[in-house]
Structure formats: C-alpha cells, structure tokens
Amino acid sequence: MEESRDGGIANGEAMETESQKGSTEKRPEAREKWTNKTEFLLSMAGEIIGLGNVWRFPYLCYKNGGGVFFIPYFIFLFFCGIPVFFLETALGQYTSEGGITAWRKICPMFEVNCHNISAAYTGLHRPDVDWSFLYNETDKYSDNYSMSFQNESEFPPFKLISPEQEYWFHRMLRVANSGGLGSVNADLAMCLLLAWVICYFCIFKGVKTTGKVVYFTATFPYLMLFILFIRGVTLPGAATGITYYLYPDISKLSNPDVWRDAGTQVFFSYAVCQGVLTALGSYNKYNNDCYKDCIALCILNSSTSIFAGFVVFSILGFMAHQLGLPMEDIASSGPGLAFIAYPRALSLLPGPQFWSVLFFFMVLLLGLDSQFVCVESLATALTNLFPGVLRKRRELLVLKIAVICFLLGLPFITKGGFHLFTVMDTYGPSGTNLLFIACFETIVVAWVYGANRFYDNIEDMIGYAPFPVLKYCWLFITPLICAATLLYNLMGSKSLSSADQFVPDWSYKLAPLLTLIPMVCIPVFLFISLGTGRGIITPSSDLKQLRPNSPRLTLFNRLIIKPQRSRHIQEDGEEKANKEHTSRV
C-alpha cells in the first residue's frame, strides 16, 4: 500500500511536472520592462520632441499673433494636452498593454480606437530623415547657386529667393509641378532605405536596445540647439527676428483659426491619440510615479518649442537684414524653416561644413527618435494581440514593418512627393482625427470605465491621488474643447492652395480620405461590439482594483455611476444562476 501510494505520488509528481513543462512551453515569454526610469523618460522625450518643435511651432507662433499665440496654446495644453497625455501613459502602465489591448482590458467596446492607424501614418510620412541624409551628402554644392529670379511660368514673377531656397527646391527635392508624382529620386530612395535600416537595428530587440539608443539620440539635439542659439542671437538683425516672433497681436485672439492651430499643435507635438504613449508606459513597473514623469515631460516639450523659436527667428532676422526684405517675406512654413533658415546660420559659423554635418545629424536624430518609437508602439500592439506567436518572432515582425513602411514611403520621395507630404501634414494625423479620438478616450475613461475608479487605479500605482482638476478635465473640459475644435475644423474648409504654391488636383480627393479613414474605425467597431451584446463595457478580471466596491463615478458627493462587477464575477454569477435553474427543473 505504501509503495503503491508512493509510486502514485511519484507518478503524479512526474505527470504534474510534465504538464507544467508543457504549459510553460505554451506560455508566451514574459513582458520586458525598462531597465530604469531614465530610459523611459528619454524614450518619451525622443518621441514627443521632434522637428514639429523646430519648424511647426515657431511658424504657427509668428503666423498667429506672436506672443499672443501662447494664450490659446497653454489653454489647450493645460486642459487638453496634459490630461490626455497623462491618461494614455497611466493607462499603459496600469494595464501593461499596448494601444489596442489596453483598451480591450478596460472597455472592450473601445478596443479598436485608431491609435495604430495614426501611428502608422506618423511613421511612414517622415521624409525629413532621408532629406537630412542627402543634405549632408550634397551640402558642399550649395555655393554653386546664387540669388536669382524665378521662372514666371512656374512661380510668381520676380520673387527674390536665397541660395538655400533654390538649393532646397531644385537640388534637394527636384520639385516638379506636373500634377503627378513622377519618378522616384534614386538618391533619396537610398537615404530612405538607410534610415529604415538604422531604425530596425535601434528597436529589433525591443526596449533592451531602444532604452540604450535614446541616451544619445534624445540628448544630442539639445547641445546643437544651444550652440545655434548662442550664434543666432549674436548676429545683426537677430533682435528684429525675435521681436517679430514674440510681438503680441491681440486682434488674432478673435480668429478661430488661431485656436484651431493651437489645439492641433498641442495634440501633434505631444503624440497623443496615437497609441505611442500607451505602449511606452506599458513597459514601466507598476509602481512607477508616472504622474510626475508626465508633468516633467510636458514642461520639457513646451520649453523646447519656445526655445527653438528663438533659434529660428534670430536667424530669420539676420536673413531679412542681409537681404533687405521685411520679415513677412522671409519666414516660411513647413520644412523650409529647418532646411532653409538653419543652413543659412551654419554658413556663418567657423568651419561651416563641420557644423552642417552636426546639424543635419541632429535633424536625423530628431526624426529617427520619433520614427522608431512609432514603430515600437505598432510592434507592441501587434505583439500584445498575438503574444504566443509574435513575442518569440519580434525581430521578424519589426523587419516586416520596416519593409512595408519603406515601400509606403517611396511616393514621398518622388518629384511630386513634396505635394503629397504637404497633404499628409495638413490632413493626416495632426488635427481632426486626433481631436476625434481624444473625445472618445476621455468619455470612455471618465463616463464608462469611471473617473473615480481610474483615479483609484492611479493612486494604487503611484501612492497618492493626482491633482483633482484632471478628473473634471476628463469628464467635461477636454471633450468639450476637443468637440468644439473638431466641429470648427470640419465646418471651416482648410484650403491647400496658396498664391505661390502649386497644388495638384489629386490632393483634393486624397485629403478627405486621410481624415475619414482613422475616424470611421471607431463607430464601425462600436456597432460590431453592440452586436455581440455581452461584456462590451466590462473590464478584464485580471486588473487590480484598489476599491472594487466603490462607485465608478461621483460628482459633488452624489452617486452618478454605481460599482461594476468584474467580468469573471459576472460569468460566475450567470453560471450559478443557470445551475440553480437546471436543478429546479
């Protein structure tokens, strides 16, 4: 009896060990975490701080009233940007999931929220990276161009342009106003390929490599900006440019376009509603103080934008002084600020070739940071959807994403690619669809999942409750401001045409598609979820709840939304009820 019992026990233990081994083999690999807080902060900074800070913010600032633009900008920042930025980062840290599965855990009905469509848009329309490669390669030829008058058949007659402008449009981009995309520029294609090769090797191992790369890629651009600032403010005419940058035009505040530009700039520069913040936050440890991290990152981002404005407009002031032209004729929008104004500054430094290499290397790093973090977020989302299959094949997954994005990027480096870039920058993931997604995010977290419950989750993670104003931002202020801006964005037609820029006919057909494709995903999936009927707003049972029996939402000490049972409790209750009904029968 003893022997048989011992043998049975031994056999049982052996069987149990074999079953455990089998389950271990089937179980997906454990999820990676950041080695330390610095890696997380630098990765976040690398994503949110990019060329949008260098060229987009300074231009919008001078265009919309100079120093007055700071008023709508900071209003959007405090009541929309920071609340959504913190919401997404905290959500990723709480669920330890990427941009899709994080929403599946707290509200399955909102699982497909277009985050990764926006992230893919943002990842593939970054030709600035390969532009910087080619600018380094051919910058030595820029002295061959001189001041000239443009051809009347292609441009407004007798418009005086600088050597940098002529070099940018006719040597770098080789822009053709034929109406089609034209052929691919071979040298730019090679630069694009090199950019994606670098991107792949930065992230193919996951956060282990990403966390190390950002130590350099996120810090070096600040050194170059500081050097250019010192040089810029010492040039003649710099005071004129800075005054033009900051001069407050109070009348601009009555223009709704100013407020729209402020809102879209905040959402674009803070990388909200793209799934990136959720993915990066998901690699944090559960008890990381993400609240203080987010506040520090927001201060750094906006400070960088304002500081870059001083760097840009000190140089533009000098250019106006040299050419004898008013500032209105010098300042231009878009990539021209980075690829026209800055090269002018570099030519005035001792050893301009050396500084040119360093500067465009900085541009490359600014673009690469945002690029590989977007790809990282997309890979994280797909890996979390199919962990058993993709987590062990991450290198192959990242390679496939890089190849697809390279192929999708080829149209941007054709002779008509700059027009496509302009359409994407205007109608892509930088305005309407981000506002639309932000409305849904705040409504789902505050009114469906419950603002009180999410506050309890945050308190459980960081050890204290965040500033209570955030709760009312998620409930009322953020969705209302975003909805109002969205309606104005849709009703007010943003025209691509201008007096001195050629616009192909196909751009007017492409623009609505770029806006509608990410937005239509949400209502379509909502209707599909409603068809399933059960558990569409019930959070996952494996989420830790600090106060599971507390109300999900209270306002002014009044109960608004009652407590909600988790999914496994509901299933157990239904199963028990079915058994009781069967026993009675």
Side-chain angles (χ1 to χ4, degrees):
M1 180 72 69
E2 292 294 328
E3 291 179 0
S4 64
R5 188 175 66 179
D6 293 341
I9 292 173
N11 292 334
E13 289 177 351
M15 292 175 62
E16 185 178 355
T17 304
E18 290 178 2
S19 64
Q20 285 178 351
K21 288 182 180 178
S23 63
T24 304
E25 291 176 359
K26 295 179 182 178
R27 189 182 306 159
E29 295 180 2
R31 208 167 189 276
E32 295 177 302
K33 296 292 182 182
W34 298 111
T35 305
N36 52 59
K37 183 189 285 285
T38 305
E39 291 184 0
F40 165 67
L41 292 174
L42 290 178
S43 298
M44 292 281 279
E47 165 57 20
I48 64 178
I49 298 170
L51 289 173
N53 302 75
V54 175
W55 78 44
R56 202 168 189 265
F57 178 84
Y59 170 71
L60 290 177
C61 194
Y62 105 86
K63 169 192 169 186
N64 294 305
V68 166
F69 184 69
F70 292 154
I71 297 175
Y73 174 80
F74 281 113
I75 288 176
F76 269 96
L77 175 62
F78 290 137
F79 295 109
C80 295
I82 293 177
V84 179
F85 186 89
F86 175 57
L87 182 151
E88 293 186 2
T89 307
L91 177 65
Q93 181 172 312
Y94 173 60
T95 60
S96 292
E97 298 287 345
I100 296 178
T101 46
W103 291 98
R104 174 196 288 175
K105 279 197 168 186
I106 69 164
C107 183
M109 185 171 63
F110 197 63
E111 178 180 342
V112 177
N113 54 10
C114 319
H115 273 164
N116 295 288
I117 295 178
S118 296
Y121 273 171
T122 309
L124 66 91
H125 97 286
R126 294 190 181 276
D128 43 68
V129 176
D130 48 283
W131 289 344
S132 65
F133 272 128
L134 188 63
Y135 218 110
N136 270 329
E137 176 192 345
T138 59
D139 186 58
K140 58 187 177 183
Y141 299 113
S142 62
D143 293 335
N144 295 336
Y145 293 92
S146 59
M147 299 298 295
S148 64
F149 294 96
Q150 295 177 338
N151 190 312
E152 184 175 357
S153 63
E154 295 184 2
F155 298 95
F158 307 110
K159 183 178 180 182
L160 195 65
I161 63 172
S162 67
E164 291 79 16
Q165 288 173 309
E166 191 168 353
Y167 176 76
W168 165 248
F169 287 108
H170 300 297
R171 171 60 187 92
M172 276 286 298
L173 301 178
R174 296 184 283 278
V175 176
N177 296 339
S178 60
L181 289 177
S183 59
V184 174
N185 295 318
D187 46 4
L188 283 176
M190 295 304 297
C191 294
L192 180 64
L193 177 62
L194 179 59
W196 278 108
V197 169
I198 295 175
C199 177
Y200 171 76
F201 283 107
C202 285
I203 64 171
F204 77 109
K205 288 291 186 181
V207 295
K208 291 180 180 178
T209 55
T210 306
K212 303 300 182 291
V213 171
V214 292
Y215 276 102
F216 177 71
T217 59
T219 56
F220 180 79
Y222 282 97
L223 175 62
M224 281 305 304
L225 273 178
F226 180 73
I227 293 173
L228 290 172
F229 170 76
I230 297 299
R231 180 55 177 158
V233 296
T234 58
L235 294 172
T240 304
I242 294 174
T243 302
Y244 189 81
Y245 167 53
L246 297 177
Y247 181 77
D249 184 0
I250 304 297
S251 62
K252 291 283 188 178
L253 287 177
S254 60
N255 186 355
D257 290 340
V258 175
W259 295 83
R260 178 186 65 191
D261 287 345
T264 54
Q265 171 62 19
V266 167
F267 275 74
F268 181 70
S269 65
Y270 278 82
V272 296
C273 305
Q274 298 175 25
V276 180
L277 304 178
T278 306
L280 295 179
S282 68
Y283 293 110
N284 277 333
K285 296 178 182 178
Y286 185 79
N287 297 115
N288 176 62
D289 193 345
C290 57
Y291 178 63
K292 291 181 180 178
D293 293 344
C294 289
I295 297 298
L297 288 166
C298 290
I299 293 173
L300 178 65
N301 188 19
S302 294
S303 300
T304 304
S305 297
I306 296 171
F307 180 71
F310 286 95
V311 179
V312 169
F313 277 89
S314 61
I315 303 302
L316 294 181
F318 172 74
M319 291 177 66
H321 175 78
Q322 290 290 94
L323 298 176
L325 296 174
M327 283 293 299
E328 290 82 358
D329 296 339
I330 294 295
S332 59
S333 64
L337 284 180
F339 291 94
I340 295 175
Y342 279 22
R344 181 65 171 176
L346 300 177
S347 66
L348 304 171
L349 294 172
Q353 290 80 9
F354 171 75
W355 292 109
S356 295
V357 172
L358 286 184
F359 169 73
F360 287 107
F361 186 55
M362 178 195 76
V363 173
L364 170 67
L365 295 181
L366 287 172
L368 274 177
D369 264 349
S370 301
Q371 181 172 325
F372 68 64
V373 171
C374 281
V375 176
E376 173 67 41
S377 69
L378 185 58
T380 298
L382 294 174
T383 303
N384 288 341
L385 279 174
F386 310 102
V389 178
L390 297 180
R391 193 159 286 172
K392 295 181 179 180
R393 299 174 176 85
R394 178 186 170 83
E395 297 178 14
L396 183 60
L397 172 65
V398 174
L399 178 61
K400 289 181 178 179
I401 293 174
V403 171
I404 292 172
C405 287
F406 166 73
L407 296 176
L408 292 175
L410 290 177
F412 293 97
I413 54 175
T414 59
K415 290 179 170 55
F418 188 70
H419 304 308
L420 179 62
F421 172 84
T422 303
V423 176
M424 285 285 290
D425 188 53
T426 305
Y427 293 93
S430 60
T432 303
N433 41 42
L434 298 187
L435 293 168
F436 184 74
I437 296 171
C439 289
F440 273 88
E441 281 189 358
T442 51
I443 290 172
V444 168
V445 169
W447 293 97
V448 179
Y449 182 75
N452 284 40
R453 178 157 60 179
F454 194 56
Y455 250 61
D456 291 340
N457 300 148
I458 295 171
E459 183 180 352
D460 186 46
M461 288 191 297
I462 66 177
Y464 59 92
F467 195 47
V469 172
L470 284 172
K471 172 183 174 180
Y472 297 97
C473 286
W474 294 333
L475 285 167
F476 305 110
I477 302 175
T478 302
L480 287 176
I481 292 178
C482 291
T485 310
L486 173 64
L487 289 175
Y488 178 77
N489 229 10
L490 294 174
M491 295 172 61
S493 58
K494 276 191 299 184
S495 177
L496 284 168
S497 61
S498 62
D500 59 348
Q501 185 178 358
F502 172 80
V503 179
D505 294 334
W506 50 262
S507 63
Y508 296 100
K509 300 177 183 178
L510 179 62
L513 293 177
L514 293 175
T515 302
L516 292 175
I517 287 175
M519 293 172 61
V520 77
C521 296
I522 294 178
V524 167
F525 193 79
L526 286 180
F527 284 118
I528 294 175
S529 299
L530 290 173
T532 62
R534 193 168 64 89
I536 58 176
I537 62 171
T538 307
S540 174
S541 59
D542 60 352
L543 292 178
K544 183 181 179 181
Q545 300 294 344
L546 181 62
R547 302 179 182 92
N549 298 320
S550 297
R552 285 182 285 161
L553 176 61
T554 59
L555 284 175
F556 308 110
N557 297 324
R558 296 188 62 180
L559 177 64
I560 305 298
I561 303 178
K562 296 179 180 179
Q564 183 183 30
R565 293 184 299 174
S566 62
R567 203 175 301 168
H568 78 284
I569 294 177
Q570 287 187 350
E571 292 173 355
D572 291 345
E574 291 175 3
E575 185 178 352
K576 184 178 179 181
N578 290 333
K579 287 182 179 179
E580 289 178 356
H581 177 71
T582 304
S583 62
R584 289 196 193 105
V585 173

